[in-house]
């Protein structure tokens, strides 16, 4: 019911938005891209998966306001669907920007893994996709004061992560189990808030942030329970207070980045103790053609051993239109890994092709070793317009 009320209010906002602004004489732009992707597994059942999607973006911009709506139409082997990815209105005042609607909120300065970025959950049915974040309904105000930017966010409705079904391609649970995530009720008390203060001071860019809300992914119990002769797992989302900071600094051709967050969980919550996450990284141009990013990613939960991962990303420009990449992550404790080589070719304006692979290794039960028999290659064509 509350979702419906929020949608009605959002529709009313958009109506007022277009009534207030002179749309007919404005810059209204429609763009998009069509993506076709073919994946083939090395071993296992040697599955071949064809995925097609059409993304449409409607943008309106003026000196006083803006509007964006993004529609995604997908057609894969499992579940064709149409989804509204983003839809928000934005209003510009003298020193404040106000954005209301379904949107992405990106905090943090490190590459890919951001401990301070906690508003947008992930679509874990495709965990290795670069664009698997889910937009949330929120009100966001950015205030600019001298060299400072103050970011205040309120997300009234909880948005859960998309979890894979037991026995599906990217699930570590066997088929036949029922998964029933325990989600918080949508109420004012359970809404999420966040505040961030950031500043650019000479050669260093830094921020401090606070988030109060719910975990992006649920905590999993050690075992399932039996309900009506059915094995059921009930992972539970938990409330957190997150205190974070991030920074980036230039040293010639090097950029050093860091991010640190402390997650305070409730004392009576048994599935997850308070924990800290950190990322330390450096990126630099080794030559005019070679760009390198390295990061150390870690987590320390109270009462448990620390876990650390090392990531490396290499990008080499063969020509103006062809590049090769090598991305990898290595778990220092379990010694499992993921390697992702890529070849990118911009065939012409608006048409690009990517050839790549995902290669997993490690022991069963480890983060990447559990997918050891799911290595796959893929080819992807992207047509932008």
């Amino acid at each position: 019911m509350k979702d419906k009320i929020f949608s009605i209010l959002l529709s009313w906002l958009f109506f007022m938005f277009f009534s207030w602004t002179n749309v007919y004489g404005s810059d209204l732009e429609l763009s998009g891209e069509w993506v076709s992707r073919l994946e083939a597994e090395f071993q296992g059942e040697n599955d071949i998966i064809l995925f097609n999607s059409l993304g449409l973006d409607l943008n309106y911009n003026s000196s006083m306001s803006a509007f964006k709506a993004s529609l995604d139409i997908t057609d894969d082997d499992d579940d064709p669907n149409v989804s509204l990815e983003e839809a928000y209105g934005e209003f510009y005042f003298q020193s404040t920007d106000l954005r209301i609607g379904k949107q992405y909120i990106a905090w943090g300065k490190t590459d890919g893994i951001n401990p301070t970025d906690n508003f947008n959950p992930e679509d874990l049915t495709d965990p290795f996709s670069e664009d698997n974040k889910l937009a949330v309904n929120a009100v966001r105000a950015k205030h600019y004061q001298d060299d400072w930017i103050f970011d205040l966010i309120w997300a009234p409705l909880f948005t859960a992560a998309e979890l894979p079904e037991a026995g599906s391609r990217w699930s570590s649970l066997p088929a036949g189990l029922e998964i029933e995530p325990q989600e918080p009720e949508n109420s004012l008390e359970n809404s999420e808030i966040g505040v961030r203060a950031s500043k650019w001071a000479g050669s260093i860019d830094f921020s401090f942030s606070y988030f109060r809300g719910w975990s992006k992914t649920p905590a999993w119990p050690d075992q399932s329970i039996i309900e009506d002769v059915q094995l059921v797992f009930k992972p539970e989302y938990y409330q957190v207070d997150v205190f974070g900071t991030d920074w980036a600094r230039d040293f010639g051709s090097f950029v050093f980045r860091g991010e640190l967050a402390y997650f305070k969980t409730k004392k009576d919550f048994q599935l997850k103790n308070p924990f800290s996450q950190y990322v330390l990284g450096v990126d630099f141009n080794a030559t005019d053609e070679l760009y390198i990013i390295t990061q150390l990613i870690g987590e320390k939960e109270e009462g448990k051993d620390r876990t650390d991962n090392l990531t490396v990303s290499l990008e080499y420009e063969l020509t103006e239109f062809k590049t090769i990449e090598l991305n990898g992550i290595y778990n220092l404790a379990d010694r499992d890994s993921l390697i992702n080589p890529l070849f990118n070719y911009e065939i012409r304006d608006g048409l690009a092709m990517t050839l790549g692979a995902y290669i997993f290794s490690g022991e069963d039960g480890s983060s990447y070793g559990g997918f050891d028999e799911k290595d796959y290659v893929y080819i992807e064509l992207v047509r932008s317009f």
Side-chain angles (χ1 to χ4, degrees):
M1 179 65 179
K2 291 184 178 181
D3 287 342
K4 185 175 181 180
I5 293 174
F6 191 85
S7 298
I8 293 173
L9 291 174
L10 196 59
S11 300
W12 177 83
L13 170 71
F14 292 157
F15 172 77
M16 293 299 295
F17 172 84
F18 280 113
S19 299
W20 177 37
T21 54
N22 184 14
V23 176
Y24 297 102
S26 67
D27 184 13
L28 193 62
E29 179 183 348
L30 178 65
S31 60
E33 66 176 23
W34 168 75
V35 178
S36 183
R37 181 182 174 108
L38 181 67
E39 299 179 359
E41 292 187 355
F42 288 165
Q43 45 191 328
E45 299 179 358
N46 295 314
D47 286 341
I48 295 178
I49 301 171
L50 178 62
F51 173 88
N52 293 286
S53 70
L54 175 64
L56 298 174
D57 294 329
L58 179 66
N59 290 277
Y60 161 78
N61 289 282
S62 75
S63 60
M64 300 178 60
S65 56
F67 169 80
K68 180 176 181 179
S70 298
L71 189 69
D72 192 45
I73 306 169
T74 61
D75 180 16
D76 58 28
D77 290 341
D78 297 320
D79 185 24
N81 67 84
V82 178
S83 60
L84 185 65
E85 298 295 298
E86 284 185 283
Y88 62 79
E90 192 162 17
F91 305 91
Y92 306 128
F93 303 95
Q94 184 173 358
S95 58
T96 303
D97 298 340
L98 179 64
R99 179 183 292 182
I100 305 174
K102 190 174 185 180
Q103 56 188 289
Y104 295 102
I105 300 163
W107 283 0
K109 293 184 175 65
T110 51
D111 184 53
I113 306 296
N114 302 103
T116 63
D117 187 17
N118 290 284
F119 275 99
N120 297 109
E122 296 177 308
D123 180 1
L124 298 177
T125 62
D126 190 8
F128 305 108
S129 170
E130 293 184 2
D131 303 314
N132 68 338
K133 291 291 185 73
L134 302 173
V136 296
N137 295 310
V139 179
R140 182 179 193 178
K142 273 190 175 183
H143 180 72
Y144 303 88
Q145 183 69 41
D146 297 326
D147 295 330
W148 288 90
I149 301 176
F150 298 95
D151 197 359
L152 180 63
I153 299 166
W154 175 51
L157 304 176
F158 174 75
T159 301
E162 293 284 346
L163 302 178
E165 295 182 1
S168 63
R169 185 183 186 189
W170 300 118
S171 174
S172 58
L173 298 175
L177 291 177
E178 189 74 22
I179 302 175
E180 295 182 0
Q182 305 301 292
E183 302 177 5
E185 294 182 359
N186 281 320
S187 65
L188 182 61
E189 181 183 4
N190 289 335
S191 61
E192 298 180 321
I193 61 170
V195 60
R196 183 177 188 242
S198 58
K199 183 178 183 179
W200 172 260
S203 60
I204 186 169
D205 184 11
F206 65 90
S207 78
F208 300 97
S209 62
Y210 169 72
F211 169 84
R212 184 186 185 278
W214 299 86
S215 58
K216 290 196 297 184
T217 57
W220 290 80
D222 293 331
Q223 58 186 9
S224 59
I225 61 175
I226 299 178
E227 290 187 354
D228 298 327
V229 200
Q230 171 70 52
L231 290 176
V232 180
F233 259 105
K234 292 189 174 183
E236 185 175 348
Y237 290 91
Y238 53 94
Q239 201 165 40
V240 290
D241 292 279
V242 185
F243 305 87
T245 182
D246 58 55
W247 63 92
R249 179 164 185 175
D250 299 335
F251 281 99
S253 59
F254 293 83
V255 179
F256 292 87
R257 305 177 189 274
E259 203 162 328
L260 173 66
Y262 174 71
F263 295 73
K264 181 182 178 183
T265 60
K266 288 188 175 181
K267 292 182 179 180
D268 58 350
F269 186 70
Q270 303 298 319
L271 297 181
K272 189 75 173 182
N273 298 322
F275 61 98
S276 299
Q277 291 181 346
Y278 66 87
V279 181
L280 300 173
V282 57
D283 48 270
F284 61 99
N285 285 100
T287 68
D288 290 340
E289 296 82 17
L290 180 61
Y291 187 66
I292 301 174
I293 302 175
T294 61
Q295 292 187 145
L296 180 65
I297 303 167
E299 178 178 315
K300 178 63 175 72
E301 182 179 349
E302 291 182 9
K304 297 186 178 182
D305 294 334
R306 191 181 72 196
T307 60
D308 292 295
N309 290 270
L310 180 65
T311 68
V312 178
S313 296
L314 310 174
E315 181 177 337
Y316 186 79
E317 187 178 286
L318 297 171
T319 69
E320 183 181 356
F321 306 105
K322 298 176 183 178
T323 61
I324 55 175
E325 297 180 40
L326 181 62
N327 306 304
I329 183 167
Y330 180 73
N331 186 322
L332 298 176
D334 295 337
R335 299 183 179 181
D336 58 324
S337 64
L338 165 62
I339 298 175
N340 170 221
L342 295 168
F343 170 70
N344 302 305
Y345 177 32
E346 185 178 345
I347 301 171
R348 58 184 176 84
D349 285 345
L351 181 61
M353 178 188 72
T354 298
L355 296 173
Y358 278 88
I359 303 171
F360 307 90
S361 65
E363 299 293 330
D364 286 342
S366 60
S367 298
Y368 305 108
F371 303 124
D372 194 27
E373 295 185 355
K374 296 184 179 180
D375 301 341
Y376 68 93
V377 294
Y378 65 91
I379 180 172
E380 182 176 272
L381 291 174
V382 179
R383 178 70 172 93
S384 303
F385 56 90

